[in-house]
Amino acid sequence: MKRFLLFGLCCAAALASPVQADTLKTMPHGPYQCALPGDAASEAWIPQERESFTIARASRYRNDEGRGTYILKGDELTFTAGPKNGERLRRTGTNELREINEDGSTGRLICVRVG
């Protein structure tokens, strides 16, 4: 009887808790190439090698400048340590990220997993 009562209390507490829409996630592992859109008269994309990075296991990333960590909460990725510390990207697809401007709008830089 005590087990049943304890189980019931646990279920009631779980149902009373608000559902978190911004759950923590991770990005698919591999290299992400970043670029800016070009124009029809020349190149379609202008690679931005300094912005490119590789996602590794355990919410870690690396680039030519070093290693760091990130957090993906909902669709917002924030670099929390390392050379890209403080930069924010918005997940716009399974393997695609777009920069977030200071005002919260989506920027022009796009990063796509290529591996």
Side-chain angles (χ1 to χ4, degrees):
M1 182 69 172
K2 287 182 181 179
R3 286 183 185 172
F4 181 74
L5 182 59
L6 182 59
F7 177 75
L9 289 173
C10 289
C11 289
L15 292 173
S17 300
V19 175
Q20 293 292 330
D22 292 338
T23 58
L24 296 179
K25 303 173 188 173
T26 58
M27 288 296 295
H29 302 158
Y32 285 76
Q33 295 279 323
C34 298
L36 289 170
D39 59 44
S42 61
E43 297 181 49
W45 296 100
I46 303 165
Q48 303 294 303
E49 292 302 323
R50 292 197 59 181
E51 299 297 329
S52 296
F53 55 92
T54 298
I55 296 286
R57 294 182 303 186
S59 297
R60 299 189 184 282
Y61 75 94
R62 65 180 179 274
N63 66 8
D64 291 341
E65 297 176 34
R67 298 172 182 267
T69 56
Y70 73 90
I71 187 169
L72 178 60
K73 186 174 181 183
D75 68 349
E76 188 172 309
L77 182 144
T78 303
F79 293 104
T80 55
K84 297 179 82 57
N85 187 26
E87 292 182 32
R88 297 182 309 143
L89 301 167
R90 181 169 290 123
R91 188 175 191 179
T92 54
T94 302
N95 299 304
E96 181 180 289
L97 297 159
R98 296 278 305 264
E99 84 178 317
I100 299 175
N101 295 325
E102 287 186 22
D103 66 359
S105 64
T106 302
R108 293 173 28 96
L109 183 75
I110 185 170
C111 299
V112 178
R113 185 169 73 107
V114 295

